[in-house]
Amino acid sequence: MDTEAQVADIPLFKGISPKELQAMAGCLDMHKRSFERGEIVYLTDQHISYVGVVIDGSVQMTHEDIDGNRTLLAALGPGELVGETFACGAQRNSKVTFQAEEASTLVFMAFDRVLHSCNRVCRFHQRLASNMVEQICAKNVQLMDKIEVSSRKTLRDKIRAYLSNLSQKQNSHTVRLPLTRTALAEYLDANRSALTRELGRMQDEGILEISGRSIRIC
């Protein structure tokens, strides 16, 4: 599989050269797949034995309740993992749906082969397993951020918490939203119109300065 030109900045492959990764591809049953916008990567309750890593594009992790209400849990961009939490579980059935937000490319690898090294490439294999543990920890932090935001009682407080987390990650009082307005409403578990109105009020009150996806926290 030709991955040399695409994996240089992917955290999962940190410390592994493209040549070394090429040698590992067969052992890990690595394969690349492209998804169109809106195409499903994994469905809720689907068995997951392959972990994906986003090479380009974006994949949304969503949950739908019994009434059909959809909640955006995370937007996964280049370098982030897809399905790893469920691949390492006892049942291995996904509790969420993964869907391409835009045209995206993912590389998949057999999770069992990541955990259990073979005789040929164990030196690089160990590094890959270590990197994956780091990525899983990072995903857990991301989901904790989601819980923190969702626990706020009012929409304004949810917006404040979300922007505060984003400001810390981007190390700036002016942040670039990684989500569209519709996706942000889903993430905040709010109506898009209500979100737009509240952002407008916060801007009128001098709390925020909004220009497209750029928001300055005053």
Side-chain angles (χ1 to χ4, degrees):
M1 181 184 64
D2 182 17
T3 58
E4 287 87 344
Q6 296 176 293
V7 302
D9 297 322
I10 299 298
L12 181 63
F13 305 128
K14 179 179 65 177
I16 302 172
S17 72
K19 184 177 180 180
E20 292 166 346
L21 183 61
Q22 189 72 30
M24 294 174 63
C27 167
L28 300 174
D29 193 17
M30 293 177 67
H31 56 279
K32 185 165 57 176
R33 182 179 169 189
S34 296
F35 295 85
E36 298 296 327
R37 180 181 179 183
E39 189 174 355
I40 298 297
V41 180
Y42 285 124
L43 276 172
T44 300
D45 291 329
Q46 184 173 346
H47 183 83
I48 296 181
S49 56
Y50 282 76
V51 174
V53 55
V54 182
I55 301 300
D56 58 57
S58 178
V59 173
Q60 292 186 340
M61 181 169 65
T62 63
H63 178 265
E64 190 170 304
D65 64 21
I66 194 171
D67 296 319
N69 299 310
R70 182 176 182 267
T71 301
L72 176 62
L73 300 176
L76 310 173
E80 296 190 87
L81 300 181
V82 172
E84 78 291 347
T85 300
F86 307 104
C88 65
Q91 299 297 324
R92 296 199 174 187
N93 290 337
S94 179
K95 303 303 181 184
V96 299
T97 291
F98 296 94
Q99 183 176 21
E101 183 185 13
E102 57 185 308
S104 305
T105 303
L106 280 73
V107 167
F108 293 89
M109 62 198 75
F111 187 75
D112 281 342
R113 299 191 185 186
V114 174
L115 291 183
H116 306 101
S117 61
C118 70
N119 294 326
R120 293 183 299 146
V121 290
C122 58
R123 185 161 61 98
F124 313 128
H125 212 133
Q126 185 176 5
R127 180 68 183 186
L128 180 68
S130 176
N131 290 346
M132 181 164 288
V133 170
E134 291 182 7
Q135 289 292 95
I136 292 174
C137 291
K139 176 72 69 60
N140 288 339
V141 171
Q142 190 176 6
L143 293 177
M144 287 175 64
D145 288 343
K146 166 65 176 175
I147 293 172
E148 178 188 355
V149 171
S150 299
S151 67
R152 304 302 173 98
K153 293 183 178 180
T154 68
L155 178 55
R156 176 169 293 202
D157 286 342
K158 290 180 180 181
I159 294 171
R160 284 179 178 273
Y162 175 77
L163 293 178
S164 176
N165 288 339
L166 207 58
S167 177
Q168 292 179 35
K169 291 175 182 177
Q170 298 183 10
N171 194 30
S172 173
H173 289 294
T174 299
V175 299
R176 175 75 178 174
L177 293 179
L179 303 174
T180 64
R181 189 66 60 87
T182 298
L184 180 57
E186 291 181 358
Y187 184 85
L188 299 177
D189 196 20
N191 177 276
R192 188 184 188 281
S193 298
L195 173 63
T196 298
R197 287 194 299 271
E198 189 60 41
L199 287 173
R201 282 193 285 263
M202 294 175 76
Q203 181 166 238
D204 291 341
E205 295 171 20
I207 299 172
L208 304 175
E209 293 179 3
I210 304 173
S211 177
R213 286 200 184 186
S214 179
I215 296 182
R216 181 175 181 271
I217 305 169
C218 302

